[in-house]
Structures are given as structure tokens and as C-alpha cells.
Amino acid sequence: MIHRMMRRAAGILVVAALSWPALAEDSPIGFVSGPLAGVAAENAKHTERQASEGSGTIRTDTATFETRGLFAFVDWSRLPGGYHWKSNDRIGSLSSWVQRVFKATAFTVVRGDRQSVNGYLAQYRIITLTGSGERCGVFDMQRTNHLIQGAVCAPNGGEVPLLAVLQGLSIDNVIGP
């Protein structure tokens, strides 16, 4: 399931890069404070698909955000009631996904941690990408059947204000400062 989400997210990033200038779109995902406060969602997408057991619908919303050289991709997925996410290495998969998206030859982990952000357990990692010049923060936030994950990237190895971005994240009736 994670690999399908990563492929879909990679496709969205490629589309985002090729569709300049992107138009602002309606999305339940936004930022109300921090470095991305008020930045309009671009490349917003909503999908629904049947759960593998046929017992409900998996809903996913994705969007990208960009301002002053800072780029963010957010994926919010919801499982039907009673189901929980099972994958254990989502941060590792996200790091590899960002490496592929930016066509980097490798990534180096600068630091990582876990902490609560607006009621969600957030696991994150700051990585530098070899061969592309970007520095990114990948994140995974989970609560019950909600999963919020993505990446925030800064060009030229700049500092990634990941926690400030996450603290400003707002998703309609789900998370917010």
C-alpha cells in the first residue's frame, strides 16, 4: 500500500514541476501558521478506492505547496473504521522516494526524532540529497486510522524548518494548531 502511495506521490510531484505556473486549487490541506501560512494548495487531488477486503473506502487527499524556495508535499490518507496502518518503515520509504524524485544518487540522514505535533505522533527525518543540492525533511504522522505524510524541501542545502511547517499544518476537522 505504501509503495502505491509513493508512486502516486512521485507522479504528482512530476506533474507539479511540469505545470508552471500551477493554479491554486481547493484542498482540505492547508497551512495556517509557520513558513507556509496562507500559501495556496497546488496540484490538489482526492481519490477513493475500495479497501482490499472490500469492507470500506480508503480516501486520500494530496497537495503541494511552494513559496520562497520552500516546497512541500502532503498526503493525507484515511482507512475505513476499525482498520489501522501496518507498515513500520514509512520514514525509510519516504527518504528513498524523495531521493528518486530529485534524482539524487544517495541521501544522508542529518537528524531525526519523534514527538507529538498537534495531537499526532510525528516521526521525522532531515536528509541531504547527494547530487541534487536539496535538503529535505520527511515526516509521518499517525493517529488511529489517519496517516499524514510527506516532505518539505529547501534548495541549495538550506535549513528545513520542518517542525514549524508541521505545527502550522491544518486539515479540515483533523489537525490544526
Side-chain angles (χ1 to χ4, degrees):
M1 178 174 9
I2 287 293
H3 294 292
R4 279 192 299 252
M5 287 191 320
M6 292 302 139
R7 283 194 305 267
R8 184 176 63 238
I12 290 171
L13 281 177
V14 169
V15 169
L18 297 176
S19 63
W20 186 259
L23 300 174
E25 301 175 32
D26 286 338
S27 172
I29 305 168
F31 292 90
V32 296
S33 66
L36 294 173
V39 175
E42 299 174 358
N43 308 298
K45 184 176 180 183
H46 174 82
T47 58
E48 294 186 8
R49 65 181 173 84
Q50 194 67 27
S52 59
E53 296 82 23
S55 57
T57 302
I58 299 172
R59 292 174 175 81
T60 302
D61 285 277
T62 57
T64 60
F65 302 84
E66 187 170 4
T67 186
R68 296 184 302 272
L70 197 60
F71 175 82
F73 169 78
V74 179
D75 179 299
W76 170 44
S77 299
R78 286 94 63 208
L79 293 173
Y83 288 89
H84 300 281
W85 301 99
K86 291 184 179 179
S87 178
N88 293 331
D89 187 33
R90 289 188 296 264
I91 289 295
S93 296
L94 285 165
S95 300
S96 297
W97 170 73
V98 168
Q99 176 186 339
R100 286 189 305 276
V101 166
F102 285 101
K103 296 179 174 67
T105 56
F107 68 85
T108 303
V109 176
V110 177
R111 66 183 176 278
D113 203 355
R114 297 180 123 184
Q115 72 181 63
S116 178
V117 175
N118 297 331
Y120 276 74
L121 176 60
Q123 182 177 356
Y124 65 91
R125 175 187 283 178
I126 304 295
I127 59 174
T128 56
L129 299 171
T130 305
S132 75
E134 275 80 19
R135 179 179 275 202
C136 297
V138 295
F139 63 91
D140 177 273
M141 298 169 36
Q142 179 180 336
R143 186 170 66 191
T144 319
N145 58 345
H146 290 264
L147 176 64
I148 304 167
Q149 58 184 1
V152 178
C153 298
N156 303 319
E159 188 60 35
V160 178
L162 183 61
L163 288 177
V165 168
L166 293 180
Q167 290 167 347
L169 178 64
S170 175
I171 296 178
D172 293 345
N173 300 315
V174 175
I175 188 173

